[in-house]
Amino acid sequence: MSSGALPVIVVGGGITGLSAAWELQQRGLPYVLLEAGDRLGGKVQTEHTDDGFLVEHAADAFILGKPYAAQLAREVGLEPDIIHPRDDTKRLYFLKGGRLLDFPQNMKMFVPLDDQSFLDSGVLSPEGARRFLDEVNVPPKAPGDEDESLAAFITRRFGEEALNFIVPLAAGIYVANPFELSMKAAFPQFLALEQKYGSVIRGSRATVRAPGPVFASFRGGMDALAQAIAARLTGEVRLNTQVQQVQADGVVLKGGQHLRGSGVIVTTPSWSAAPMFSQNFGRAAALIGELKANGSVAVVLAYRADQFPGDMHLHGLQVDASEGIHLKAVTVHSAKLHGRAPEGHVLLRVFFKDLDPGFALEEARREVERLFGAHGEPLWHICADWRGRNPAYQVGHLDHLERIRAALPAHIQVAGASYTGVGLPDCVNAGRSAAQVLTEQLSVA
């Protein structure tokens, strides 16, 4: 491409947009990154408080089984800052029937790697646990293109009672309705195990987990990746720049300025992306607008350690789906990762679905007192309000995504958590993949 070539326009400065810009830079393509807000990083937000706490407003770690985030971290010089959850505090509880049960030992996500530990755990009734383990004898579903929900998959393979145990573990990151969440979009690896081994349990036990930690974060918090990428971008980056319309030859900014480009990658969430396409790509706008979203609220609470009667050196707890309470999970962030709280303090993240933040705060304080015996007021609190901002991959999502892509010309791409995965590695991969597709398209144009 000549030095006078039009830039690729990347809309959105979250992790997906930053990753797209980085990939374009690696491939020698000019680009302009446009971010409507006054900061980069999108939903990934790390706050450093004056009293020495590190607060994550969204994700606090990323999975290493998908290599994309760790690879990008190495490329931008962050490898020395990668940290992992602490092994010495790895205890996890499962709340069932009002009791804090020790989470079963020797698990791979929700799959037990030995029968006896699972049977002894009490997370399911004896009958439910035996039915769960009998999954090895359930015939695989006939291969086909038909999608199914997480709930349908679980009940078909593990039994109805298993829903209450698996859903908090599997669907938690999606804040999802298990009766709507697409297996093909969210958990294709379990469908693959069923087809290859005839059983998820058998396949999980036969598949050797890579040695070393499963998750990682950064010493300075998750937004360290966004800041490291941004510091190494040599192209044009504009903050406080809102895109109103995507056109075949570029974008129109708020205020009417027309910015021409050789291609466009829109990485903003579907609810903000759909209006950008409405004027010139009506079919795509309608399809993007049909994508649904779920909501969540995370309440962050800081305490002194002496406000708890017991040892708070644990990673947290998950809540049985039949517990009948608003609480979904708790992470003891101060114990999960080093450097998240000053010595002698406890930092908790308490998770709910669609709750009013004020009510969620009351519930969080009440549950922390009930479950952990906290006494006295927290030192402070922060509410991360993500209501209506968690992508919902409904059954048939991948087919819907294909229709969206087909409704757009090849030099206009959509990418990000609304489409192909909500975790940090998925967003990195989405941005870089969109940039690769566009590079190939422009090279043959």
Side-chain angles (χ1 to χ4, degrees), residues 274-286:
M276 298 180 195
F277 291 101
S278 60
Q279 183 172 310
N280 301 293
F281 303 98
R283 170 66 173 160

Side-chain angles (χ1 to χ4, degrees), residues 181-336:
L181 182 60
S182 161
M183 281 297 295
K184 281 190 171 184
F187 304 108
Q189 69 271 33
F190 296 117
L191 296 175
L193 289 177
E194 177 185 21
Q195 292 303 316
K196 182 175 180 179
Y197 296 94
S199 157
V200 175
I201 292 177
R202 189 180 299 118
S204 295
R205 293 178 179 180
T207 307
V208 178
R209 176 184 280 165
V214 177
F215 294 95
S217 186
F218 302 105
R219 187 170 288 106
M222 290 287 280
D223 78 345
L225 181 60
Q227 303 312 315
I229 301 169
R232 288 160 177 79
L233 291 180
T234 57
E236 185 178 1
V237 177
R238 299 189 196 177
L239 298 177
N240 301 304
T241 304
Q242 184 174 341
V243 173
Q244 286 196 321
Q245 292 292 332
V246 175
Q247 298 184 335
D249 64 348
V251 300
V252 176
L253 306 179
K254 184 179 181 180
Q257 180 187 356
H258 180 206
L259 184 63
R260 295 182 65 221
S262 59
V264 181
I265 303 174
V266 177
T267 70
T268 60
S270 61
W271 51 88
S272 67
M276 298 180 195
F277 291 101
S278 60
Q279 183 172 310
N280 301 293
F281 303 98
R283 170 66 173 160
L287 289 167
I288 294 170
E290 290 173 3
L291 295 173
K292 306 298 183 185
N294 297 313
S296 64
V297 173
V299 179
V300 184
L301 301 172
Y303 293 89
R304 296 186 315 276
D306 61 16
Q307 290 180 262
F308 294 88
D311 181 8
M312 291 299 288
H313 286 83
L314 65 147
H315 282 195
L317 66 84
Q318 295 281 350
V319 180
D320 186 280
S322 66
E323 196 66 7
I325 60 176
H326 294 292
L327 177 69
K328 299 304 174 188
V330 177
T331 298
V332 185
H333 212 215
S334 50
K336 181 179 178 181

Side-chain angles (χ1 to χ4, degrees), residues 136-218:
V136 296
N137 298 313
V138 175
K141 186 178 181 179
D145 293 332
E146 186 178 351
D147 199 2
E148 66 181 321
S149 71
L150 173 65
F153 179 82
I154 292 171
T155 54
R156 177 170 63 80
R157 295 219 57 84
F158 298 93
E160 289 189 16
E161 190 181 337
L163 269 176
N164 298 327
F165 174 67
I166 295 177
V167 165
L169 308 175
I173 190 173
Y174 294 96
V175 199
N177 179 341
F179 294 91
E180 297 178 351
L181 182 60
S182 161
M183 281 297 295
K184 281 190 171 184
F187 304 108
Q189 69 271 33
F190 296 117
L191 296 175
L193 289 177
E194 177 185 21
Q195 292 303 316
K196 182 175 180 179
Y197 296 94
S199 157
V200 175
I201 292 177
R202 189 180 299 118
S204 295
R205 293 178 179 180
T207 307
V208 178
R209 176 184 280 165
V214 177
F215 294 95
S217 186
F218 302 105

